[in-house]
């Protein structure tokens, strides 16, 4: 089957474009899967992006999914936090979209594709990844250093997660991961 991803995101305030590039591995895997139609997924992240939508093009036999997110929600997150947030959103809307058009793929075909995509996303820390594991460990009272060692993550990132769990005010500063992502552009 053909599964394609593209992004339209502001560089320097989020890592979404870089993250969508990671999904090219999923595109490669999908070439080996059997599914009756193609899927194109766009991820847009910036100010005033409008609403997320999906549309099935019967004549061309493909589904388009256009996910739109506000940049302000991503600029305060680390790259790993963005990956997991986007992963949850992407998978939820993907699953919902596939099941919205049952006339184009039967139930076993839909279940097969959904499980393959979910498996890939989990294996690559897009779903139930290190950030979620760290949150759970921290909520259970595990020491920050121990969480860092268990998950092979920097103590600084674990501290960020801990602070985010316990903060009373919304974060407003652009996370350094987003600034670093911009330094290499357009060469990265």
């Amino acid at each position: 089957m053909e599964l394609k991803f593209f992004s339209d995101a502001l560089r320097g305030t989020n890592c979404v474009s870089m993250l969508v590039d990671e999904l090219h591995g999923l595109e490669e895997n999908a070439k080996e899967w059997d599914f009756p139609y193609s899927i194109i997924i766009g991820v847009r992240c910036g100010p005033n992006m409008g609403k997320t939508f999906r549309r099935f093009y019967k004549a061309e036999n493909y589904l388009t999914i256009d996910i739109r997110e506000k940049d302000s929600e991503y600029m305060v997150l680390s790259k790993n936090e963005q990956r997991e947030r986007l992963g949850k959103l992407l998978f939820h809307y993907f699953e919902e979209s596939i099941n919205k058009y049952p006339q184009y793929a039967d139930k076993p075909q839909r279940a097969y594709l959904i499980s393959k995509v979910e498996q890939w996303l989990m294996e690559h820390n897009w779903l139930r990844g290190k950030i979620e594991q760290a949150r759970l460990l921290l909520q259970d009272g595990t020491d920050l250093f121990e969480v860092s060692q268990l998950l092979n993550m920097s103590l600084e990132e674990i501290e960020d997660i801990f602070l985010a769990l316990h903060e009373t005010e919304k974060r407003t500063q652009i996370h350094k991961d987003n600034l670093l992502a911009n330094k290499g552009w357009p060469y990265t």
Side-chain angles (χ1 to χ4, degrees), residues 1-3 5 23 25-37 39 94 109 112-121 123:
M1 78 164 289
E2 182 177 30
L3 176 62
F5 291 91
L23 295 170
L26 179 55
E27 290 177 349
E28 287 301 312
N29 284 13
K31 289 177 183 178
E32 306 297 319
W33 303 339
D34 185 31
F35 197 70
Y37 57 84
I39 302 170
F94 175 82
Q109 290 171 319
Y112 169 80
L113 180 62
I114 290 167
S115 71
K116 289 295 220 179
V117 169
E118 182 179 33
Q119 178 184 358
W120 191 96
L121 291 172
E123 288 172 358

Short mmCIF file of all heavy atoms in Angstrom, two decimals, residues 1-3 5 23 25-37 39 94 109 112-121 123:
data_model
loop_
_atom_site.label_atom_id
_atom_site.label_comp_id
_atom_site.label_asym_id
_atom_site.label_seq_id
_atom_site.Cartn_x
_atom_site.Cartn_y
_atom_site.Cartn_z
N MET A 1 0.84 -1.18 0.00
CA MET A 1 0.00 0.00 0.00
C MET A 1 0.88 1.24 0.00
O MET A 1 2.05 1.17 0.36
CB MET A 1 -0.93 0.00 1.21
CG MET A 1 -0.27 0.42 2.52
SD MET A 1 -1.42 0.85 3.85
CE MET A 1 -2.08 2.39 3.29
N GLU A 2 0.30 2.34 -0.35
CA GLU A 2 1.02 3.60 -0.31
C GLU A 2 0.52 4.41 0.88
O GLU A 2 -0.66 4.68 1.02
CB GLU A 2 0.82 4.40 -1.59
CG GLU A 2 1.60 5.68 -1.60
CD GLU A 2 1.47 6.46 -2.90
OE1 GLU A 2 0.42 6.37 -3.55
OE2 GLU A 2 2.42 7.16 -3.23
N LEU A 3 1.45 4.78 1.75
CA LEU A 3 1.20 5.62 2.90
C LEU A 3 2.23 6.74 2.85
O LEU A 3 3.43 6.47 2.82
CB LEU A 3 1.33 4.82 4.20
CG LEU A 3 1.18 5.57 5.52
CD1 LEU A 3 -0.21 6.20 5.65
CD2 LEU A 3 1.46 4.63 6.69
N PHE A 5 3.48 10.76 4.24
CA PHE A 5 3.39 11.82 5.24
C PHE A 5 4.07 13.08 4.69
O PHE A 5 5.08 12.99 4.01
CB PHE A 5 4.12 11.42 6.53
CG PHE A 5 3.45 10.32 7.29
CD1 PHE A 5 3.79 9.00 7.04
CD2 PHE A 5 2.49 10.60 8.24
CE1 PHE A 5 3.18 7.97 7.73
CE2 PHE A 5 1.87 9.57 8.94
CZ PHE A 5 2.22 8.25 8.69
N LEU A 23 8.72 9.60 10.24
CA LEU A 23 7.65 8.71 9.79
C LEU A 23 7.90 8.11 8.42
O LEU A 23 7.15 7.25 7.96
CB LEU A 23 6.31 9.46 9.81
CG LEU A 23 5.83 9.89 11.20
CD1 LEU A 23 4.64 10.82 11.09
CD2 LEU A 23 5.51 8.68 12.06
N GLY A 25 10.09 6.02 7.79
CA GLY A 25 10.30 4.59 8.07
C GLY A 25 8.98 3.83 8.05
O GLY A 25 8.92 2.69 7.58
N LEU A 26 7.94 4.45 8.54
CA LEU A 26 6.61 3.85 8.51
C LEU A 26 6.11 3.75 7.06
O LEU A 26 5.52 2.74 6.67
CB LEU A 26 5.64 4.67 9.36
CG LEU A 26 4.19 4.21 9.43
CD1 LEU A 26 4.06 2.76 9.87
CD2 LEU A 26 3.40 5.13 10.38
N GLU A 27 6.40 4.76 6.27
CA GLU A 27 6.04 4.71 4.84
C GLU A 27 6.69 3.50 4.16
O GLU A 27 6.04 2.80 3.38
CB GLU A 27 6.52 5.98 4.12
CG GLU A 27 5.80 7.23 4.48
CD GLU A 27 6.40 8.45 3.77
OE1 GLU A 27 7.49 8.36 3.18
OE2 GLU A 27 5.75 9.51 3.83
N GLU A 28 7.95 3.29 4.46
CA GLU A 28 8.68 2.16 3.86
C GLU A 28 8.06 0.83 4.26
O GLU A 28 7.89 -0.06 3.43
CB GLU A 28 10.16 2.20 4.25
CG GLU A 28 10.94 3.30 3.56
CD GLU A 28 10.91 3.20 2.05
OE1 GLU A 28 11.14 2.09 1.51
OE2 GLU A 28 10.62 4.22 1.39
N ASN A 29 7.74 0.68 5.55
CA ASN A 29 7.11 -0.56 6.01
C ASN A 29 5.77 -0.79 5.33
O ASN A 29 5.42 -1.92 4.98
CB ASN A 29 6.91 -0.53 7.53
CG ASN A 29 8.18 -0.77 8.29
OD1 ASN A 29 9.27 -0.72 7.75
ND2 ASN A 29 8.04 -1.00 9.58
N ALA A 30 5.01 0.28 5.15
CA ALA A 30 3.66 0.17 4.58
C ALA A 30 3.68 -0.35 3.14
O ALA A 30 2.69 -0.94 2.69
CB ALA A 30 2.97 1.53 4.64
N LYS A 31 4.77 -0.19 2.44
CA LYS A 31 4.86 -0.69 1.07
C LYS A 31 4.66 -2.20 1.01
O LYS A 31 4.25 -2.74 -0.01
CB LYS A 31 6.21 -0.32 0.45
CG LYS A 31 6.36 1.14 0.15
CD LYS A 31 7.74 1.45 -0.39
CE LYS A 31 7.90 2.95 -0.63
NZ LYS A 31 9.24 3.29 -1.11
N GLU A 32 4.95 -2.88 2.12
CA GLU A 32 4.82 -4.34 2.18
C GLU A 32 3.43 -4.79 2.63
O GLU A 32 3.13 -5.97 2.61
CB GLU A 32 5.86 -4.91 3.16
CG GLU A 32 7.29 -4.51 2.87
CD GLU A 32 7.76 -5.02 1.52
OE1 GLU A 32 7.44 -6.17 1.18
OE2 GLU A 32 8.46 -4.25 0.81
N TRP A 33 2.60 -3.88 3.05
CA TRP A 33 1.29 -4.22 3.58
C TRP A 33 0.24 -4.23 2.48
O TRP A 33 0.33 -3.50 1.49
CB TRP A 33 0.87 -3.24 4.66
CG TRP A 33 1.85 -3.13 5.80
CD1 TRP A 33 2.80 -4.03 6.18
CD2 TRP A 33 1.98 -2.03 6.71
NE1 TRP A 33 3.51 -3.59 7.26
CE2 TRP A 33 3.02 -2.36 7.61
CE3 TRP A 33 1.32 -0.83 6.86
CZ2 TRP A 33 3.41 -1.50 8.64
CZ3 TRP A 33 1.71 0.01 7.89
CH2 TRP A 33 2.74 -0.33 8.76
N ASP A 34 -0.76 -5.04 2.69
CA ASP A 34 -1.86 -5.13 1.73
C ASP A 34 -3.06 -4.37 2.28
O ASP A 34 -3.59 -4.71 3.34
CB ASP A 34 -2.22 -6.62 1.52
CG ASP A 34 -3.26 -6.80 0.44
OD1 ASP A 34 -3.29 -5.99 -0.50
OD2 ASP A 34 -4.06 -7.75 0.56
N PHE A 35 -3.42 -3.31 1.58
CA PHE A 35 -4.58 -2.50 1.96
C PHE A 35 -5.19 -1.95 0.69
O PHE A 35 -4.46 -1.60 -0.25
CB PHE A 35 -4.16 -1.38 2.92
CG PHE A 35 -5.30 -0.76 3.66
CD1 PHE A 35 -5.97 -1.47 4.65
CD2 PHE A 35 -5.74 0.51 3.35
CE1 PHE A 35 -7.03 -0.92 5.33
CE2 PHE A 35 -6.81 1.08 4.02
CZ PHE A 35 -7.45 0.37 5.03
N PRO A 36 -6.53 -1.84 0.61
CA PRO A 36 -7.18 -1.51 -0.66
C PRO A 36 -7.10 -0.06 -1.14
O PRO A 36 -7.51 0.24 -2.26
CB PRO A 36 -8.64 -1.91 -0.42
CG PRO A 36 -8.83 -1.92 1.04
CD PRO A 36 -7.49 -2.24 1.64
N TYR A 37 -6.59 0.86 -0.33
CA TYR A 37 -6.46 2.23 -0.82
C TYR A 37 -5.22 2.90 -0.22
O TYR A 37 -4.63 2.42 0.74
CB TYR A 37 -7.71 3.07 -0.56
CG TYR A 37 -8.18 3.17 0.86
CD1 TYR A 37 -7.64 4.11 1.74
CD2 TYR A 37 -9.21 2.36 1.34
CE1 TYR A 37 -8.09 4.23 3.04
CE2 TYR A 37 -9.68 2.48 2.64
CZ TYR A 37 -9.12 3.41 3.48
OH TYR A 37 -9.57 3.53 4.77
N ILE A 39 -3.14 6.25 1.48
CA ILE A 39 -3.42 7.23 2.53
C ILE A 39 -2.32 8.29 2.51
O ILE A 39 -1.14 7.96 2.49
CB ILE A 39 -3.50 6.57 3.92
CG1 ILE A 39 -4.57 5.48 3.93
CG2 ILE A 39 -3.76 7.62 5.00
CD1 ILE A 39 -4.57 4.62 5.17
N PHE A 94 -6.04 8.78 12.88
CA PHE A 94 -5.83 7.76 11.84
C PHE A 94 -6.83 6.62 12.02
O PHE A 94 -7.54 6.24 11.08
CB PHE A 94 -4.39 7.23 11.92
CG PHE A 94 -4.10 6.10 10.99
CD1 PHE A 94 -3.78 6.34 9.66
CD2 PHE A 94 -4.13 4.78 11.43
CE1 PHE A 94 -3.51 5.30 8.80
CE2 PHE A 94 -3.86 3.74 10.58
CZ PHE A 94 -3.55 4.00 9.25
N GLN A 109 -9.31 -5.98 7.21
CA GLN A 109 -8.30 -5.14 6.56
C GLN A 109 -8.01 -3.90 7.40
O GLN A 109 -6.85 -3.52 7.58
CB GLN A 109 -8.77 -4.71 5.16
CG GLN A 109 -8.81 -5.83 4.16
CD GLN A 109 -9.49 -5.40 2.86
OE1 GLN A 109 -10.51 -4.72 2.86
NE2 GLN A 109 -8.90 -5.83 1.74
N TYR A 112 -6.10 -4.91 10.57
CA TYR A 112 -4.72 -5.23 10.21
C TYR A 112 -3.89 -3.95 10.09
O TYR A 112 -2.82 -3.83 10.69
CB TYR A 112 -4.70 -6.02 8.90
CG TYR A 112 -3.34 -6.19 8.29
CD1 TYR A 112 -2.47 -7.18 8.76
CD2 TYR A 112 -2.92 -5.38 7.24
CE1 TYR A 112 -1.22 -7.35 8.19
CE2 TYR A 112 -1.67 -5.54 6.67
CZ TYR A 112 -0.82 -6.53 7.15
OH TYR A 112 0.42 -6.69 6.59
N LEU A 113 -4.38 -3.00 9.32
CA LEU A 113 -3.63 -1.76 9.11
C LEU A 113 -3.46 -0.98 10.42
O LEU A 113 -2.36 -0.51 10.73
CB LEU A 113 -4.32 -0.88 8.06
CG LEU A 113 -3.62 0.44 7.77
CD1 LEU A 113 -2.22 0.20 7.21
CD2 LEU A 113 -4.45 1.29 6.82
N ILE A 114 -4.52 -0.87 11.16
CA ILE A 114 -4.46 -0.12 12.43
C ILE A 114 -3.44 -0.77 13.37
O ILE A 114 -2.63 -0.07 13.99
CB ILE A 114 -5.86 -0.03 13.06
CG1 ILE A 114 -6.73 0.92 12.22
CG2 ILE A 114 -5.78 0.44 14.52
CD1 ILE A 114 -8.21 0.86 12.54
N SER A 115 -3.44 -2.09 13.45
CA SER A 115 -2.49 -2.76 14.35
C SER A 115 -1.05 -2.60 13.88
O SER A 115 -0.15 -2.42 14.69
CB SER A 115 -2.84 -4.24 14.53
OG SER A 115 -2.56 -4.97 13.36
N LYS A 116 -0.83 -2.63 12.57
CA LYS A 116 0.53 -2.44 12.03
C LYS A 116 1.05 -1.03 12.33
O LYS A 116 2.21 -0.86 12.72
CB LYS A 116 0.55 -2.68 10.52
CG LYS A 116 0.39 -4.13 10.12
CD LYS A 116 1.56 -4.93 10.62
CE LYS A 116 2.02 -5.93 9.63
NZ LYS A 116 3.17 -6.70 10.10
N VAL A 117 0.21 -0.04 12.13
CA VAL A 117 0.61 1.35 12.39
C VAL A 117 0.85 1.55 13.89
O VAL A 117 1.85 2.13 14.29
CB VAL A 117 -0.44 2.34 11.85
CG1 VAL A 117 -0.17 3.76 12.35
CG2 VAL A 117 -0.46 2.30 10.32
N GLU A 118 -0.04 1.02 14.72
CA GLU A 118 0.13 1.15 16.17
C GLU A 118 1.43 0.49 16.62
O GLU A 118 2.18 1.05 17.43
CB GLU A 118 -1.05 0.51 16.89
CG GLU A 118 -0.97 0.65 18.40
CD GLU A 118 -2.16 0.04 19.11
OE1 GLU A 118 -2.72 -0.96 18.61
OE2 GLU A 118 -2.53 0.57 20.17
N GLN A 119 1.71 -0.69 16.11
CA GLN A 119 2.94 -1.40 16.47
C GLN A 119 4.17 -0.58 16.11
O GLN A 119 5.10 -0.44 16.90
CB GLN A 119 2.98 -2.76 15.76
CG GLN A 119 4.23 -3.55 16.05
CD GLN A 119 4.27 -4.85 15.24
OE1 GLN A 119 3.35 -5.18 14.49
NE2 GLN A 119 5.34 -5.59 15.39
N TRP A 120 4.21 -0.03 14.89
CA TRP A 120 5.36 0.78 14.47
C TRP A 120 5.51 2.01 15.37
O TRP A 120 6.62 2.34 15.80
CB TRP A 120 5.20 1.20 13.01
CG TRP A 120 6.45 1.80 12.45
CD1 TRP A 120 7.41 1.16 11.73
CD2 TRP A 120 6.89 3.17 12.57
NE1 TRP A 120 8.43 2.04 11.41
CE2 TRP A 120 8.13 3.28 11.90
CE3 TRP A 120 6.36 4.30 13.17
CZ2 TRP A 120 8.83 4.47 11.83
CZ3 TRP A 120 7.06 5.49 13.09
CH2 TRP A 120 8.29 5.56 12.42
N LEU A 121 4.40 2.68 15.64
CA LEU A 121 4.46 3.88 16.47
C LEU A 121 4.96 3.56 17.88
O LEU A 121 5.74 4.32 18.46
CB LEU A 121 3.08 4.56 16.53
CG LEU A 121 2.60 5.20 15.22
CD1 LEU A 121 1.15 5.65 15.36
CD2 LEU A 121 3.50 6.34 14.77
N GLU A 123 6.94 0.98 18.72
CA GLU A 123 8.34 0.59 18.62
C GLU A 123 9.28 1.79 18.47
O GLU A 123 10.46 1.71 18.79
CB GLU A 123 8.55 -0.36 17.43
CG GLU A 123 7.99 -1.74 17.66
CD GLU A 123 8.03 -2.61 16.41
OE1 GLU A 123 8.48 -2.13 15.32
OE2 GLU A 123 7.60 -3.77 16.51
#
